[in-house]
């Protein structure tokens, strides 16, 4: 019997009578992981109502006290890091070191935000008038919706939830359906930490029903969404109708440039981790390798030699290098792109679904490398799988031109020993994140995270940007002159 989980509304786990349910399955072996409620519009309305009622009390709770609760939630995640890491690996297929890394990223961020409860800084600014004081303060937005993907099923929900909560918002959380079991652990951390009823609610179910209900409800003042471009655009358009703040974190087509003077062994480790870590299913994954012609063939040979030793298999086995892709849907989409690639480019490595024995029950795709000119579909569209497009270039200028000629701009990287070129690349690469001599993945939580072009709509999350995302700035003027002073009219001029 599969473990059954309910919705978390107003501090209580509830399973509505006659609820429709869905299951998540382990992508390595097809075994069920958990059964969850497909919430209806009415269920979502109850969650929003609970958040709406809980909001004033939470807003009035001093931010340092909110921080203490967050610290306790981080404590839960720390204590249960190993078992939650297992759940992550079992439910979405990333290898166990990365499953635990996912939880660690959640811990890091929740602790970081807990400390933010003693800051939430505003500004004090001089007035042009005498006996007048000017400042800004930060206020919560109200009820916010956090809609999250399956690829970082504990880290990304916490990036949003912890930031929203420390700022004093009440949250309705909708996780991706195929990582719903991980979402239960996220909620348990805050439940055990003592978040008051209604301040954090969980609604599971489809984007079409649950997501739409959240994004169109006038009581939801802001939506923070991480996921695919199509869904993101839909959320943005629907949110715009209600003039909501919509934060979008969408796709990537992240390049690593390897120049002729690079440390090739260092670049090799970076490209392997960037392209095939999490089976290529990070928004920040390296999906393009832009190789200088002078090192093209030797580097490709190093890459394919190393892949020959790669072990694909059960992600919870610590010896496994790469697990399955997350779902049948993912598998179908990636295999379809591989077929497209075979027509427009040269398949250099991999390209097959693994079959036979234990592989038959899971969604395993070989690490795949295409040699392609720039401009093919596989070199420009986000695949979100273990597929790397390799593009040959003759110099730095061409490398940057190719790197920038895509619709996305999340992460980017250059391997070079030339310090002048490295600094030039920091400026030239059109992306929210640039790495020098490191792969495109592995962002740290105390810095802003986000991208340009179709990767988003201009916002950043994590770091102190997270506070911007979840607060309204109020400007306050205090006039203690006891007379009417008119700005711009009564101000004395020094000249
Ligand atoms: C994502 O794939 O959406 O930079 C997030 C990284 C991780 C976060 C990725 N820290 O790879």
């Amino acid at each position: 019997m599969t473990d059954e989980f309910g919705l978390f509304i107003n501090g209580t786990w509830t399973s509505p009578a006659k609820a429709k349910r869905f299951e998540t399955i382990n992508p390595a072996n097809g075994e069920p992981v958990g059964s969850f409620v497909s919430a209806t519009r009415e269920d979502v309305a109850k969650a929003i109502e609970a958040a709406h009622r809980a909001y004033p009390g939470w807003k009035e709770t001093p931010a340092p006290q909110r921080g203490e609760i967050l610290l306790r939630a981080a404590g839960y995640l720390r204590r249960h890091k190993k078992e939650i890491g297992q759940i992550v690996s079992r439910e979405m297929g990333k290898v166990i070191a990365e499953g635990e890394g996912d939880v660690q990223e959640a811990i890091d961020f929740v602790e970081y935000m807990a400390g933010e409860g003693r800051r939430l800084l505003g500004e004090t600014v001089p007035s042009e008038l005498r006996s007048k004081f000017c400042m800004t303060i930060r206020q919560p937005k109200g009820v916010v919706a956090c809609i999250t993907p399956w690829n970082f099923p504990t880290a990304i929900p916490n990036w949003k939830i912890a930031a929203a909560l420390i700022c004093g918002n009440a949250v309705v959380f909708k996780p991706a359906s195929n990582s719903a079991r991980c979402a239960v652990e996220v909620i348990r951390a805050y439940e055990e930490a003592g978040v008051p009823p209604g301040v954090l609610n969980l609604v599971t179910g489809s984007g079409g029903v649950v997501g739409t209900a959240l994004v169109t409800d006038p009581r939801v003042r802001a939506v923070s969404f991480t996921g695919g471009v199509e869904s993101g655009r839909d959320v943005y358009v629907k949110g715009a109708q209600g003039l909501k703040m919509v934060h979008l974190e969408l796709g990537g087509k992240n390049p690593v440039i390897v120049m002729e003077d690079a440390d090739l062994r260092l670049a090799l480790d970076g490209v392997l981790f960037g392209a095939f870590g999490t089976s290529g299913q990070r928004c920040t994954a390296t999906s393009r390798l832009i190789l200088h012609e002078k090192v093209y063939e030797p580097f490709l040979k190093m890459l394919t030699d190393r892949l020959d030793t790669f072990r694909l298999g059960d992600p919870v086995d610590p010896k496994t290098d790469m697990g399955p892709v997350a779902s049948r849907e993912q598998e179908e989409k990636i295999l379809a792109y591989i077929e497209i690639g075979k027509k427009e480019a040269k398949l250099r490595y991999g390209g097959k679904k693994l079959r036979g024995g234990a592989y038959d029950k899971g969604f395993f795709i070989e690490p795949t490398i295409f040699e392609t000119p720039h401009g093919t579909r596989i070199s420009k569209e986000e695949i979100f799988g273990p597929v790397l497009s390799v593009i040959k270039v003759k110099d730095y200028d061409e490398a940057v031109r190719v790197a920038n000629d895509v619709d996305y701009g999340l992460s980017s990287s250059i391997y070079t020993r030339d310090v002048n070129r490295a600094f030039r690349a920091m400026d030239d690469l059109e992306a929210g994140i640039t790495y020098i001599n490191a792969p495109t993945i592995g962002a740290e939580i105390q810095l802003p995270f986000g991208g340009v072009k179709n990767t988003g709509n201009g916002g950043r999350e994590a770091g102190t940007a997270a506070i911007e995302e979840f607060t309204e700035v109020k400007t306050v003027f205090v006039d203690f002159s006891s007379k009417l002073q008119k700005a711009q009219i009564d101000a004395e001029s020094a000249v």
Side-chain angles (χ1 to χ4, degrees), residues 25-31 33 88-94 315 324-328 359 361-364:
I25 61 155
N26 183 331
N29 57 26
E31 284 169 10
V33 175
V88 170
S89 291
R90 282 203 299 126
E91 194 171 46
M92 59 65 67
K94 66 172 84 171
V325 298
S327 63
R328 185 176 302 283
Y359 288 132
K361 298 203 178 103
F363 310 122
F364 290 91

Side-chain angles (χ1 to χ4, degrees), residues 209-470:
V209 174
V210 178
T212 303
L214 282 172
V215 175
T216 53
D217 191 297
R219 290 167 295 186
V220 172
R221 290 313 313 151
V223 180
S224 183
F225 173 89
T226 300
V229 171
E230 286 321 311
S231 315
R233 185 174 286 120
D234 190 45
V235 166
Y236 200 19
V237 168
K238 290 195 169 109
Q241 294 292 337
L243 302 177
K244 295 180 204 303
M245 201 286 298
V246 178
H247 176 102
L248 300 174
E249 190 58 62
L250 310 174
K253 190 71 186 171
N254 313 292
V256 166
I257 298 172
V258 177
M259 294 303 297
E260 79 283 13
D261 66 338
D263 176 340
L264 293 187
R265 279 203 312 219
L266 180 69
L268 175 66
D269 288 338
V271 170
L272 283 165
F273 184 47
F276 304 117
T278 323
S279 305
Q281 301 167 115
R282 296 196 194 200
C283 306
T284 51
T286 305
S287 54
R288 294 182 295 152
L289 168 60
I290 300 174
L291 258 184
H292 193 282
E293 60 186 10
K294 285 205 185 115
V295 291
Y296 186 85
E297 198 42 50
F299 191 76
L300 262 183
K301 167 107 178 45
M302 284 163 76
L303 197 55
T304 54
D305 284 352
R306 270 284 282 284
L307 285 177
D308 285 340
T309 68
F310 238 53
R311 283 161 303 205
L312 261 77
D314 187 357
V316 295
D317 179 346
K319 290 199 285 296
T320 298
D321 291 304
M322 193 174 98
V325 298
S327 63
R328 185 176 302 283
E329 257 177 301
Q330 271 294 104
E331 185 183 75
E332 280 169 7
K333 181 176 160 218
I334 297 162
L335 291 174
Y337 265 111
I338 290 175
E339 287 313 308
I340 292 168
K342 282 181 186 163
K343 292 198 190 92
E344 59 183 10
K346 180 175 156 209
L347 178 65
R348 170 80 180 234
Y349 197 87
K352 287 193 295 297
K353 170 177 167 58
L354 291 183
R355 294 178 200 279
Y359 288 132
D360 277 343
K361 298 203 178 103
F363 310 122
F364 290 91
I365 298 178
E366 289 175 313
T368 297
I369 296 180
F370 282 103
E371 291 178 83
T372 176
H374 171 61
T376 53
R377 286 187 63 189
I378 52 159
S379 70
K380 295 194 81 168
E381 296 175 19
E382 185 179 49
I383 300 175
F384 223 63
V387 181
L388 179 67
S389 291
V390 186
I391 302 158
K392 191 193 283 185
V393 292
K394 61 178 186 319
D395 55 21
Y396 171 83
D397 287 340
E398 187 184 0
V400 168
R401 225 173 18 251
V402 167
N404 289 344
D405 185 31
V406 289
D407 291 338
Y408 299 101
L410 180 54
S411 189
S412 56
S413 146
I414 185 165
Y415 282 81
T416 179
R417 287 175 164 125
D418 179 339
V419 69
N420 294 353
R421 193 145 63 182
F423 269 85
R424 200 172 315 141
M426 289 176 217
D427 196 32
D428 288 346
L429 290 170
E430 294 171 359
I433 305 171
T434 293
Y435 289 90
I436 306 297
N437 293 328
T440 54
I441 67 175
E444 300 181 31
I445 58 85
Q446 66 278 25
L447 287 118
F449 183 94
V452 301
K453 302 187 204 167
N454 288 0
T455 293
N457 56 350
R460 295 289 180 273
E461 56 189 336
T464 45
I467 304 298
E468 314 276 328
E469 186 185 351
F470 289 106

Side-chain angles (χ1 to χ4, degrees), residues 40-114:
T40 60
R41 279 193 78 85
E42 293 69 37
D43 298 328
V44 178
K46 280 187 195 144
I48 296 171
E49 181 58 29
H52 191 62
R53 271 187 279 119
Y55 168 62
W58 185 242
K59 174 180 183 251
E60 275 157 30
T61 305
Q65 274 183 38
R66 299 197 294 254
E68 280 174 37
I69 294 179
L70 258 58
L71 209 49
R72 285 203 293 269
Y76 176 96
L77 296 170
R78 256 188 204 286
R79 282 194 308 284
H80 299 281
K81 176 177 165 182
K82 286 222 164 333
E83 65 198 75
I84 302 174
Q86 291 271 338
I87 295 172
V88 170
S89 291
R90 282 203 299 126
E91 194 171 46
M92 59 65 67
K94 66 172 84 171
V95 294
I96 189 65
E98 293 181 4
E100 289 180 15
D102 194 312
V103 184
Q104 186 60 48
E105 193 162 345
I107 295 166
D108 293 343
F109 189 72
V110 181
E111 288 180 351
Y112 174 67
M113 280 295 117

